[in-house]
Amino acid sequence: ARDIINLWVARMIFSGIEFMKEIPFKEVYIHATILTKEGKRMSKSLGTGVDPLDLIEKYGADATRFGITWQITGNQDIRFAQDHIMMGKKFCNKIWNATRFILLQIENSKFQILNPKQIQNLTLADKKILKVSNKTIKSVNKDLENFQFGKATHTLYNFFWHNFCDKYIEEAKKQLGIPKLKNQTLTILFSILLTSLKLLHPFIPFITEEIYQKLPLRKKKKCLMIEEWPSLYK
């Protein structure tokens, strides 16, 4: 928080220069102060504080992480609201349900995982989701480099829920009924799901790891954390 800049950050810097002859770090992340709904500082003595463990018990760790990160929009103070934690829980459920649909389609077909780059006759829906996916990867990369974590969660939420689930999966249901489009549609569904899991993993690590372990990947890493970061679809 801002109040530790002189109390901690400055002391660490001049102590590092004095005793180690070097600056201990190059960057400092200053985040917003989380306030009550009324805009007051949280206080244990007044009973206005929020225990993260209580939120985790009620909504889950991923939902709590995502909901808190969602509220970070810059250096402005945050008026904490549990509504965003509930939103995070619903989002996790959405990811789980979308995954279940995709894996069910794969189990009921002779599916071979292809690289989307190998598909020549993409449909309009295919092209749109791959284009938006590229835009999302670029945006999230930029946000993470600039410590814009809240902005990154908004981008990922909108991409997965609205572009992927609301639009592409609905179009994919139609394409899956056309024999010549079925395999390429499954390929893109699976590829976008994997890309989404990788991008979301820093924010909701538990459900993304659980889902990753269920994916029918030939060359699966020991865990999602050490997977390659998503690259653009060319």
Side-chain angles (χ1 to χ4, degrees):
R2 296 185 296 270
D3 51 6
I4 71 164
I5 294 177
N6 291 323
L7 296 175
W8 186 81
V9 176
R11 291 181 182 181
M12 287 292 291
I13 291 176
F14 68 64
S15 294
I17 294 173
E18 176 67 23
F19 298 110
M20 304 300 295
K21 309 305 179 186
E22 62 180 353
I23 297 174
F25 39 77
K26 299 291 185 182
E27 296 172 295
V28 178
Y29 177 63
I30 304 298
H31 60 76
T33 301
I34 301 180
L35 308 174
T36 64
K37 279 187 177 182
E38 294 73 27
K40 299 179 180 179
R41 277 196 173 248
M42 292 186 178
S43 170
K44 290 183 179 179
S45 59
L46 296 177
T48 57
V50 177
D51 189 340
L53 294 179
D54 292 338
L55 295 174
I56 291 171
E57 182 68 25
K58 186 175 181 180
Y59 300 107
D62 281 338
T64 301
R65 285 169 63 103
F66 192 85
I68 292 175
T69 308
W70 176 274
Q71 300 176 63
I72 302 173
T73 56
N75 290 328
Q76 299 297 318
D77 292 337
I78 297 172
R79 295 196 179 195
F80 179 76
Q82 288 195 31
D83 295 345
H84 297 100
I85 311 298
M86 174 58 76
M87 179 271 295
K89 182 177 181 180
K90 291 180 179 179
F91 183 51
C92 290
N93 288 337
K94 188 73 171 181
I95 298 170
W96 189 265
N97 289 333
T99 301
R100 187 167 56 181
F101 168 77
I102 295 169
L103 293 184
L104 182 63
Q105 303 306 313
I106 292 174
E107 289 176 357
N108 295 335
S109 67
K110 296 179 181 179
F111 176 61
Q112 292 183 344
I113 301 173
L114 302 175
N115 188 324
K117 299 175 184 178
Q118 298 174 310
I119 302 174
Q120 296 181 349
N121 299 315
L122 294 170
T123 66
L124 180 60
D126 297 337
K127 292 178 181 178
K128 282 184 177 180
I129 192 61
L130 292 176
K131 182 178 180 180
V132 178
S133 179
N134 280 345
K135 184 178 179 181
T136 300
I137 292 170
K138 290 179 181 178
S139 179
V140 171
N141 285 344
K142 182 179 178 181
D143 291 338
L144 292 180
E145 289 172 1
N146 294 321
F147 306 103
Q148 298 291 327
F149 305 120
K151 187 178 178 182
T153 58
H154 283 250
T155 298
L156 289 170
Y157 177 92
N158 290 327
F159 169 71
F160 191 89
W161 194 302
H162 300 302
N163 295 106
F164 186 46
C165 295
D166 290 349
K167 296 181 181 179
Y168 186 71
I169 288 182
E170 292 306 310
E171 286 296 321
K173 291 176 181 177
K174 301 174 186 177
Q175 294 185 181
L176 289 171
I178 303 174
K180 66 178 182 179
L181 297 179
K182 186 173 183 178
N183 197 60
Q184 73 180 54
T185 302
L186 287 174
T187 292
I188 294 176
L189 281 170
F190 187 84
S191 181
I192 296 296
L193 174 62
L194 181 57
T195 293
S196 299
L197 293 177
K198 292 176 180 179
L199 293 173
L200 286 164
H201 188 62
F203 305 99
I204 44 176
F206 299 105
I207 187 173
T208 50
E209 183 65 61
E210 181 70 17
I211 291 173
Y212 176 77
Q213 295 302 327
K214 297 180 183 298
L215 298 183
L217 286 167
R218 293 177 182 174
K219 297 180 180 180
K220 183 182 292 185
K221 302 285 186 179
K222 186 176 181 180
C223 62
L224 178 56
M225 183 181 290
I226 58 175
E227 264 281 5
E228 293 181 1
W229 191 249
S231 56
L232 300 179
Y233 297 100
K234 302 296 185 182

